[in-house]
Amino acid sequence: MIELKSVSKWYGPSFQVLKNCSLSVRKGEVVVVCGPSGSGKSTLIKCVNALEGIGEGSILVTGIAVHDPKTDLPNLRAKVGMVFQHFELFPHLTILENLCIGQEKVLGRSKTEAEAKARSLLERVGLTAHAKKYPGQLSGGQQQRVAIARALAMDPVAMLFDEPTSALDPEMINEVLDVMVSLAEEGMTMMVVTHEMGFARKVADRIVFMDAGEIVEVSDGDSFFDNPTTERAKSFLSKIL
Ligand code: ADP
Ligand code: MG
């Protein structure tokens, strides 16, 4: 579903932010990406839907070369939904409108069709009562659930999450993680940057540990937590667990 082949990237002439990163994510797989701050996790995940360019290597999503200039980016970004730390909803649109705009503008759905899809997704994330409100009237946890629903409205083949709960008050973290767990259980292909190690242990098929722009370890969840193989992973885990 997602294939990174020897991806390297530089910011400016001399700072190499990604170093020869390779990773294949199979359909239905949940991959958690973790590592110290500044290790390149956000950059890596943004490269997958071409929010960032790459210097060397290639990235394929369902066989489409993401960084090929001929690739239709709005369509690619519909296929690969992304949820950020800060919810990035359109503040001047209602929740319902936030869920419809991409469906209408990118996928060409009619307003009726888009609204029906939006309402079913709002029900799924438990926000039916808030359809007519604006993002600023919702809590952080509710806004993040809207952001997930908005990405799902595009019928993505995969979802990318970049620290989706780290800007939330603690009592709102679980309502967002619960939606992500249910998505994972339904077989959504997911790449998730998170420090929520309970979530990682529960749903990750594999854990990718990054440090200083490199993918240092890729292992299944239990072996990563119980037997990290590198000193760098051990040191990281000792700080967060
Ligand atoms: P992480 O998400 O793991 O914290 P990032 O991918 O955000 O790491 O950043 C990796 C490194 O690249 C950091 O040193 C960061 O300061 C640097 N960086 C991120 N974005 C840019 C940018 N647009 N220009 C220059 N340096 C950047
Ligand atoms: Mg980051």
Side-chain angles (χ1 to χ4, degrees):
M1 183 69 69
I2 300 173
E3 177 142 44
L4 288 84
K5 294 183 191 167
S6 306
V7 173
S8 291
K9 175 180 176 63
W10 286 260
Y11 282 125
S14 58
F15 177 59
Q16 187 171 1
V17 60
L18 296 177
K19 299 173 185 162
N20 205 25
C21 295
S22 294
L23 179 71
S24 297
V25 182
R26 289 185 300 273
K27 188 169 188 293
E29 201 177 16
V30 178
V31 171
V32 162
V33 181
C34 65
S37 179
S39 56
K41 306 178 299 293
S42 295
T43 303
L44 184 83
I45 209 164
K46 281 188 202 151
C47 289
V48 174
N49 70 352
L51 288 175
E52 289 285 356
I54 58 177
E56 286 174 6
S58 62
I59 301 180
L60 301 176
V61 173
T62 62
I64 299 166
V66 170
H67 294 90
D68 183 330
K70 292 193 284 291
T71 296
D72 175 349
L73 289 182
N75 253 304
L76 171 79
R77 291 185 187 135
K79 275 189 184 199
V80 185
M82 174 128 188
V83 175
F84 301 89
Q85 182 174 359
H86 298 283
F87 330 115
E88 323 242 350
L89 298 172
F90 303 114
H92 59 293
L93 299 181
T94 65
I95 301 309
L96 192 67
E97 288 163 348
N98 263 279
L99 266 67
C100 290
I101 187 165
Q103 297 188 65
E104 292 172 34
K105 294 234 150 86
V106 178
L107 304 180
R109 288 182 184 154
S110 70
K111 192 173 166 123
T112 319
E113 211 182 344
E115 284 196 6
K117 177 97 186 172
R119 288 189 187 282
S120 82
L121 283 163
L122 283 180
E123 189 178 335
R124 170 179 181 159
V125 298
L127 294 172
T128 301
H130 303 281
K132 293 280 161 59
K133 292 187 182 165
Y134 288 86
Q137 296 172 284
L138 269 55
S139 72
Q142 291 171 329
Q143 290 187 56
Q144 195 60 303
R145 285 185 281 149
V146 172
I148 295 172
R150 182 176 63 175
L152 293 175
M154 307 299 277
D155 293 324
V157 296
M159 290 278 287
L160 310 174
F161 294 86
D162 190 0
E163 301 202 27
T165 59
S166 50
L168 298 177
D169 291 333
E171 74 272 20
M172 293 170 186
I173 291 176
N174 280 332
E175 67 192 54
V176 172
L177 291 179
D178 287 347
V179 173
M180 294 168 64
V181 170
S182 82
L183 263 183
E185 283 169 351
E186 282 167 24
M188 177 61 79
T189 307
M190 295 163 60
M191 277 181 80
V192 185
V193 178
T194 185
H195 298 297
E196 292 293 331
M197 292 297 135
F199 170 85
R201 225 188 232 271
K202 185 165 168 194
V203 304
D205 296 299
R206 282 186 300 157
I207 310 257
V208 170
F209 171 68
M210 290 187 74
D211 191 24
E214 281 177 86
I215 294 181
V216 176
E217 275 193 47
V218 182
S219 51
D220 68 62
D222 286 336
S223 45
F224 179 71
F225 291 110
D226 300 333
N227 295 303
T229 55
T230 60
E231 285 307 317
R232 289 198 269 182
K234 282 179 200 162
S235 152
F236 171 72
L237 285 170
S238 73
K239 285 177 195 133
I240 62 159
L241 292 179

